[in-house]
Amino acid sequence: MAKQPLYLTRPGELKRKNNTLRFETEDGHRYIPIESVENIFVLNGLTLNTGLLEFLSYKHVPVHFYNYHGRYTGTFYPPEKYVSGTLLVKQVEHYQCQERRLKISKELLRGALSNILKNSRMVARKYTDIEGVRNISEELSASRKQIFQAATTADLMGIEGSLRKKYYHQLDLVHRERRPDFVMDTRVKRPPNNKMNTLISFVNSLVYNSTLNEIYKTQLNPDISFLHEPRERRHSLSLDLSEVFKPFIADRLIFRLINLQMLKQTDFDEAGGICYLNEKGRRKVIEEYHQKLLTKVMHRQLKRKVTYQRLMLLECYKLIKHIFDEQRYVSFKMWW
């Protein structure tokens, strides 16, 4: 049985029933074979107990928690299945050595920029009638030189923030003409203040957690990162790797939801300057996100089709080979 993420979008109680899971809601209950569950996204109020957590830990099933407003709050991360002291030491060495760390960080940002440019140029081709859209693509392309010249990871993070700001401005130019209700103006994260900020924050967090799930399948330590600074209460390596995948998973999913008018005003709740997806809205986004993860692309090196989710795992393996000095890390870049 192929394992799949389990998305719990309704409030209820999750229990262990013998060797399976029982999810109870006000409308009834359903049984979920534990062997079919890869990880769990809790997107609404959930009651559980320590017995269930022990069971999930034994089965190595991570649980990602979101609050009522759809904001990611944390992950129940079982003890790592695969532990390698040798890799841990090497990973720390690459973090501590400025030259080695910078090499990985630059390649992560090159991948993110390349994939952002694919989206930006796609937008520029489609909306030739909107003034300024094409110019932004050219400005983003110039960021390649800045990445090459960066001397520190702090420089790289500044470049990342700048190119994202330009990229979001390009989308705002389009939305002012086509979907004014999804104009963002300024990126606001905590808490998001409009529909576009809400969508970006929610979908990005899904990508972050999916990436974390793939890291968990390897011997990499999720807390030792290169582009982002390691910090308490977050798995920063997932932030690093998700930069590569957000443009063609999160951003393109958001394009689809907006352009096909799949989300309505009734899918959002707004109060006190805070905007968030309600239960119905989150369910719509989750359904599309799950399908996006299952999208397949022909892998140029493997010569076979793999899912977007599999690409995340392959990115982890590439990073491991780089850390062991077996093969230089080259981040995944879209060609479609």
Side-chain angles (χ1 to χ4, degrees), residues 199-253:
L199 270 178
I200 291 173
S201 292
F202 183 61
V203 181
N204 280 355
S205 70
L206 295 176
V207 175
Y208 165 84
N209 285 320
S210 294
T211 308
L212 177 60
N213 191 62
E214 300 310 308
I215 293 172
Y216 183 66
K217 297 175 184 177
T218 73
Q219 296 172 323
L220 285 167
N221 187 299
D223 302 318
I224 302 171
S225 53
F226 305 100
L227 179 59
H228 294 81
E229 283 294 340
R231 294 183 182 176
E232 295 181 1
R233 295 182 296 177
R234 72 174 186 179
H235 302 294
S236 49
L237 183 60
S238 183
L239 292 175
D240 278 5
L241 293 175
S242 61
E243 290 293 340
V244 175
F245 297 100
K246 286 190 298 187
F248 68 93
I249 296 180
D251 296 347
R252 290 201 172 186
L253 171 60

Side-chain angles (χ1 to χ4, degrees), residues 116-252:
I116 284 173
L117 272 170
K118 283 288 185 181
N119 290 345
S120 178
R121 288 168 176 163
M122 177 183 69
V123 170
R125 287 193 302 269
K126 185 174 181 179
Y127 299 104
T128 56
D129 58 320
I130 300 178
E131 186 178 353
V133 169
R134 182 181 179 85
N135 293 340
I136 292 176
S137 294
E138 294 170 356
E139 291 174 14
L140 288 171
S141 183
S143 298
R144 288 196 178 101
K145 186 177 180 180
Q146 293 178 299
I147 294 173
F148 177 78
Q149 295 175 336
T152 67
T153 53
D155 292 340
L156 291 174
M157 288 303 296
I159 295 167
E160 189 273 339
S162 176
L163 66 89
R164 273 277 171 185
K165 185 175 181 180
K166 292 174 183 177
Y167 175 49
Y168 289 147
H169 179 58
Q170 183 186 47
L171 301 183
D172 267 356
L173 291 176
V174 173
H175 292 153
R176 281 195 177 92
E177 296 288 333
R178 302 293 195 273
R179 291 297 303 272
D181 52 329
F182 281 95
V183 171
M184 177 169 51
D185 285 324
T186 303
R187 181 77 176 105
V188 178
K189 299 180 181 180
R190 299 181 180 179
N193 62 343
N194 57 43
K195 290 194 280 292
M196 191 63 174
N197 273 315
T198 295
L199 270 178
I200 291 173
S201 292
F202 183 61
V203 181
N204 280 355
S205 70
L206 295 176
V207 175
Y208 165 84
N209 285 320
S210 294
T211 308
L212 177 60
N213 191 62
E214 300 310 308
I215 293 172
Y216 183 66
K217 297 175 184 177
T218 73
Q219 296 172 323
L220 285 167
N221 187 299
D223 302 318
I224 302 171
S225 53
F226 305 100
L227 179 59
H228 294 81
E229 283 294 340
R231 294 183 182 176
E232 295 181 1
R233 295 182 296 177
R234 72 174 186 179
H235 302 294
S236 49
L237 183 60
S238 183
L239 292 175
D240 278 5
L241 293 175
S242 61
E243 290 293 340
V244 175
F245 297 100
K246 286 190 298 187
F248 68 93
I249 296 180
D251 296 347
R252 290 201 172 186

Side-chain angles (χ1 to χ4, degrees), residues 55-150:
F55 181 53
L56 295 175
S57 179
Y58 174 72
K59 293 294 185 178
H60 301 288
V61 177
V63 187
H64 311 294
F65 294 94
Y66 290 72
N67 67 15
Y68 178 74
H69 298 297
R71 178 181 169 186
Y72 170 66
T73 55
T75 293
F76 169 72
Y77 197 71
E80 295 170 277
K81 290 189 293 185
Y82 310 108
V83 179
S84 168
T86 305
L87 178 59
L88 177 60
V89 170
K90 288 281 189 180
Q91 193 175 343
V92 172
E93 287 176 352
H94 277 72
Y95 166 75
Q96 291 180 324
C97 174
Q98 177 67 13
E99 182 181 352
R100 290 179 170 184
R101 181 183 177 187
L102 199 59
K103 186 177 293 185
I104 295 173
S105 299
K106 285 186 176 183
E107 186 55 33
L108 286 165
L109 194 52
R110 286 190 193 101
L113 174 60
S114 177
N115 295 333
I116 284 173
L117 272 170
K118 283 288 185 181
N119 290 345
S120 178
R121 288 168 176 163
M122 177 183 69
V123 170
R125 287 193 302 269
K126 185 174 181 179
Y127 299 104
T128 56
D129 58 320
I130 300 178
E131 186 178 353
V133 169
R134 182 181 179 85
N135 293 340
I136 292 176
S137 294
E138 294 170 356
E139 291 174 14
L140 288 171
S141 183
S143 298
R144 288 196 178 101
K145 186 177 180 180
Q146 293 178 299
I147 294 173
F148 177 78
Q149 295 175 336

